[in-house]
Every structure is written in C-alpha cells, then in structure tokens.
Amino acid sequence: MKFLLIAGGCGAIIFTILYLFISTMLKKKEFVQERLQSINKYPDKFADNTSNTAAANPEGDTSLTQRVFLPLYHNIERHLLAFAPHAIRQSLAQRIIYAGKQNIWSVNAVATAWVLSMGTGFLLAFLYVSHTGTFTFAQRIIILLLGLSVGALLPFSALNTIIRRRQKLILHQLPEVLDLLCVSVQAGLSFDASLMKITTQMTGPYIDECEKMLRDVRMGMTRRTALQNLSKRCNLQEVHLFTTAVIQSEKLGTSMSKTLLAQADNTRERRMQSAKAAALKAPIKILFPLILFIFPALFVIVLMPSLLVFIKSMHP
C-alpha cells in the first residue's frame, strides 16, 4: 500500500511538471489568439483583420488543449497564486532571467509549479504519516514539515542547477568571443558589426544574450543600457567587467581594440586561475571517497590474511 501511494505521488509530480511544460510552450499561441479575439471586438476598425481571421478559421475550431487543458490550468494558476508570496515571485522572475528562459517560462507558471510541488510534498508526507502508526506526535510534525520543505526546495534547486550549467557555458565561451571581437575590431569593423558577425557564426547561451543586446540597440536602446542589461542577465563577474570596460572605453573615447585585448587577456587569466584553484581542491575532495571506499578494501586485502592466521593460532 505504501508503495502504491509513493508511486501515485511520483506520478502526480511528473504529470504536473509535464503539464506545466506543455502549457508554457503553448503560451505564445494562446497570446496570439487572445490578440485576435480582442481585435474581433472592433469589426469596424479592423475589418480586414477580422475577415482574414474568419477565412483562416471559418468554423472556429480549436484544439482540445486550448478548449480544456489551458482553461483548467489557468483556473488552477489563479487559485494557487494566492498562496505564493510576492517576494517568491520576484525571486522566481529573477532566476528565470538568469536561466535564460524568460521567453519560454512565465513567472505565474513557475510559481504555480512551486505551490503544487510544495503541496505534493506535504500530501505525500501526510499519507506516509497517516498510514504508519509508530510515530509520535512530534515525529509526525517533523515529517510533515520535512515533506513541505522538500517540495518547496525542489523547484528552486532545479532552477539553480540550470543557472549554474548556463553560467559555466557562458564562462567557457567568453574568452573565445572576446578574442574574435578583438580581431574583428582590429581589422576595421565597429563593435556592433563585429558582434553581429560573431553571432551569425556561433551558437551558445552567451551568443543568445549578445543577440538580445543587439536587438535592444536596434530597437532604440542605448548601447550602455543594453550592455548593462546583458550583464544583469548573465549575473557573472567576468561579464560585468567586460561590459563595464566597453562602456568606459566608449565614454572616454579610448581605443576599443586595446580595451578588448586587455579584457581578453584578463578573462583568460581568470580562467586559468580558476582552473588552478579547482586543481588544488581536488586532493581534498578525493579524500572522502578514499577513506570511505578505498581504504576499507585495502585493509581487508592486507590485514585479513594476518587476522585469519592470528585467529587460527588463538584456537588450535
């Protein structure tokens, strides 16, 4: 019975995660349809648009997901968001930006997933406690709080894992991008033209952020503000130093190629120092598996024959 309850709870968690993922993937299509519906409210002003919409969808057919699942999800989202504090939603919004999923995930969907995960953890802990009568009252309270805490921490740990993985990819790609920028600027291209050339030839999370920065500049944002937004989205000290150097070079009128060359050398040096620091930490990290797994096996191999001989000598 316990196994069935645990299996059912795990199945509910997996279904919730898949459902939220599918609903967020359909968010853009739903936004377009809501926009078309708002345009249809004004037939005199948007006569051409309404006729095109009616021609494209004469019978008003919609899929099962848009008729059933999305309204159900919005009802769940509307009721559960009342339990999500505003500070939690702000933290989720910031972490979604750090993860690079701001155009894919919505804050409401992630907040709803957080509330559902917390409720699922509490429900599983409650079912486990209610079907096990050997716990005291204090132990039951501790188990319920533990299940609630685990359910609350799961979405944040998943987001933190995605953020750390993305930041590692950005740090790995940053020196190469700076070298190519330096070479392109020294060849005679401007900073924006060099960055645009690089974004058409490379892929990666840092390239995606550079494309967003160039898009902001084309939309009328100043380069300084676009670079500052790039640094905030990456949330890395190396990227912050690079953007600050470029802003200062543009403001003071110094050579952009020299600035980029110095930043490339600095970034490469910081990368080498971080690699050396990780290499120095390796002996300490390997000490625990050495004690737990390797030393006992060595003791058995080396000392067991002597121990057996000693036991035989004690009992002839």
Side-chain angles (χ1 to χ4, degrees), residues 180-181 183-195 197 256:
L180 293 175
L181 268 176
V183 172
S184 301
V185 171
Q186 287 177 349
L189 293 176
S190 63
F191 179 81
D192 293 340
S194 302
L195 197 57
K197 189 70 175 178
M256 184 65 71

Side-chain angles (χ1 to χ4, degrees), residues 102-219:
Q102 60 269 25
N103 295 327
I104 302 175
W105 298 347
S106 65
V107 180
N108 292 338
V110 178
T112 305
W114 176 74
V115 176
L116 286 174
S117 176
M118 189 166 54
T120 305
F122 182 81
L123 179 61
L124 291 176
F126 178 77
L127 291 175
Y128 177 72
V129 168
S130 61
H131 287 80
T132 305
T134 58
F135 297 112
T136 62
F137 179 76
Q139 289 175 343
R140 292 182 179 183
I141 295 297
I142 292 173
I143 292 174
L144 291 177
L145 292 177
L146 183 62
L148 187 66
S149 303
V150 170
L153 291 176
L154 277 178
F156 284 99
S157 30
L159 273 176
N160 289 333
T161 302
I162 296 173
I163 291 169
R164 286 194 296 268
R165 190 180 304 162
R166 183 171 179 267
Q167 288 179 346
K168 286 182 181 179
L169 292 175
I170 291 175
L171 287 176
H172 182 74
Q173 198 173 29
L174 183 60
E176 183 180 359
V177 173
L178 291 181
D179 289 335
L180 293 175
L181 268 176
C182 182
V183 172
S184 301
V185 171
Q186 287 177 349
L189 293 176
S190 63
F191 179 81
D192 293 340
S194 302
L195 197 57
M196 189 179 300
K197 189 70 175 178
I198 292 172
T199 54
T200 56
Q201 301 294 329
M202 297 179 62
T203 57
Y206 188 66
I207 298 300
D208 295 338
E209 295 298 333
C210 292
E211 288 179 352
K212 293 177 186 177
M213 189 270 290
L214 292 174
R215 193 183 307 120
D216 292 339
V217 172
R218 288 195 297 268
M219 293 295 292

Side-chain angles (χ1 to χ4, degrees), residues 18-155:
L18 292 176
Y19 178 72
L20 292 175
F21 177 75
I22 294 172
S23 62
T24 51
M25 291 298 291
L26 294 173
K27 184 177 179 62
K28 294 182 180 179
K29 185 183 291 185
E30 182 194 4
F31 173 76
V32 173
Q33 290 185 352
E34 289 179 356
R35 182 63 176 168
L36 289 175
Q37 290 176 1
S38 64
I39 292 175
N40 288 331
K41 293 181 181 178
Y42 305 96
D44 297 333
K45 189 174 180 180
F46 300 99
D48 296 335
N49 292 335
T50 54
S51 62
N52 293 333
T53 305
N57 193 5
E59 299 180 357
D61 294 334
T62 55
S63 64
L64 179 64
T65 302
Q66 295 171 356
R67 286 187 286 107
V68 179
F69 291 107
L70 284 177
L72 177 63
Y73 166 72
H74 288 305
N75 290 330
I76 296 173
E77 182 180 22
R78 186 169 56 254
H79 289 88
L80 289 182
L81 284 180
F83 299 97
H86 184 66
I88 296 294
R89 297 183 63 185
Q90 287 183 345
S91 177
L92 288 175
Q94 191 175 17
R95 291 173 186 274
I96 288 172
I97 293 174
Y98 292 160
K101 305 292 185 180
Q102 60 269 25
N103 295 327
I104 302 175
W105 298 347
S106 65
V107 180
N108 292 338
V110 178
T112 305
W114 176 74
V115 176
L116 286 174
S117 176
M118 189 166 54
T120 305
F122 182 81
L123 179 61
L124 291 176
F126 178 77
L127 291 175
Y128 177 72
V129 168
S130 61
H131 287 80
T132 305
T134 58
F135 297 112
T136 62
F137 179 76
Q139 289 175 343
R140 292 182 179 183
I141 295 297
I142 292 173
I143 292 174
L144 291 177
L145 292 177
L146 183 62
L148 187 66
S149 303
V150 170
L153 291 176
L154 277 178

